[in-house]
Amino acid sequence: MVTIVRDVNLTVDTGEVVGIAGESGCGKTTLALAATGLLEPPGRVLSGSVRYQGTDLVSLSPQELRSLRLSEISMVFQASMNVLNPVMRIRDQFLDGMAAHGVRSSEEARARAEETFDLVKIPRRYFDAYPHQLSGGMRQRAVIALALVLRPKLLFLDEPTTALDVVVQRSILQSLNDLRRELGFGVVFITHDLSLLVEIADRIAIMYAGAVVEEAAARDLYKNPCHPYTRALMSSFPPLGGSRQRLEGITGVPPDMRRLPGGCSFAPRCPEVIAGTCERIDPPSIRVDGERVVVCHLYSEKEAHVG
C-alpha cells in the first residue's frame, strides 16, 4: 500500500480560485479525484474528510455522489478535449448529462446547452457537430461548457489547457475567469505551470511528494516565495519583463512515493538543507505573515510570530 496524498487541508470559498501547483507525480490529480469520489480501485481514501456545504463526500454512496456531480460539483479532466465520445454528436452528450439530472424536456435542455455554448464563445452551429469537427480549442471549450451546463458551485480543472497553444490558452482562461465572476462558482485549478496560477488564482498551494509545502495568496507567493521548493519552481520559468536572468532547474528527481526519505521529502534536493535536521525530523507547519503557511525547518515559531 502506497500513500499518495497526505496531510492536505484546503478550503475553497464561493467565487474563489485556489491553485494547486507542483511537479508531475506530486499528487495533484489524485487529490482532485479523491475529493470528487472518482478514484478508481485499488485507489481509496483511507482517512480524512471532504466536506461540501457541511456534507462529508467520503461518506456518500456512489449513487449520492453521482447526483452531486455535474449539478453541484464538476471536473474538467486533463486532456479533456479527448474525453468526448467520438461517435456521438455534441448535442447528445449534453442532453444525456442533463437528462440524468432531471432535465427531461429536450427543448429546455437544448436551450440551456446553447446558452452555455454562448458563454464559452462557441458558435451554436457546432452544437450538432461531432467532436472531430471541432478544433482542439473548441473541443476544450465544449467540455468546459458541459461541466458548467447545470451551473455547479464548485469546478475542478485538471490542467485544462494542456496541449493548446498560448493564444488559445489565454482565450479559454479569460472565458473561465469571466464565467466565474458571472456565475460565482469556486474553482480548484491544477497545473504544473506556476506562472499561469500567479495570474488567475486567488490562493496557491504548492504540493511536493503528496503534501502541501506552502500555501499563500497568489500575489504574496509571487513576490516572496518562502519554501525552497517554491523558490525553485519560481526560478524555473522566465519572467515576462525586466532584465535577462539565468534560469535555474531543480536538481535531482521527485522521490519514489513507495520509499519516501526520512524527515523533509525535499531535503535530498534542497539547496538550503539544514544538515542533521531536515533529513531526520519532519518539518513543522509554520504560519508566516498572517495567512501564509510554510512547512519547513527554516521557519521557527519565533520567526512566524515576528512575521
Side-chain angles (χ1 to χ4, degrees), residues 202-213:
D202 298 302
R203 287 187 293 119
I204 297 176
I206 304 297
M207 286 190 70
Y208 185 80
V212 172
V213 297

Side-chain angles (χ1 to χ4, degrees), residues 134-147:
L134 277 65
S135 67
M138 291 178 69
R139 288 202 303 273
Q140 193 77 301
R141 289 176 185 271
V143 171
I144 293 171
L146 180 58

Side-chain angles (χ1 to χ4, degrees), residues 127-197:
F127 189 59
D128 294 315
Y130 287 97
H132 72 271
Q133 295 176 300
L134 277 65
S135 67
M138 291 178 69
R139 288 202 303 273
Q140 193 77 301
R141 289 176 185 271
V143 171
I144 293 171
L146 180 58
L148 295 175
V149 70
L150 292 179
R151 304 298 186 265
K153 297 179 176 64
L154 180 60
L155 180 64
F156 285 82
L157 298 168
D158 187 5
E159 302 196 30
T161 57
T162 298
L164 299 177
D165 66 74
V166 292
V167 176
V168 176
Q169 278 188 27
R170 178 75 180 185
S171 178
I172 288 177
L173 292 175
Q174 185 60 56
S175 295
L176 275 170
N177 213 24
D178 293 342
L179 289 171
R180 174 180 65 94
R181 292 193 178 98
E182 181 177 344
L183 303 178
F185 54 84
V187 177
V188 177
F189 197 108
I190 298 169
T191 182
H192 60 269
D193 189 345
L194 190 53
S195 61
L196 186 65
L197 282 186

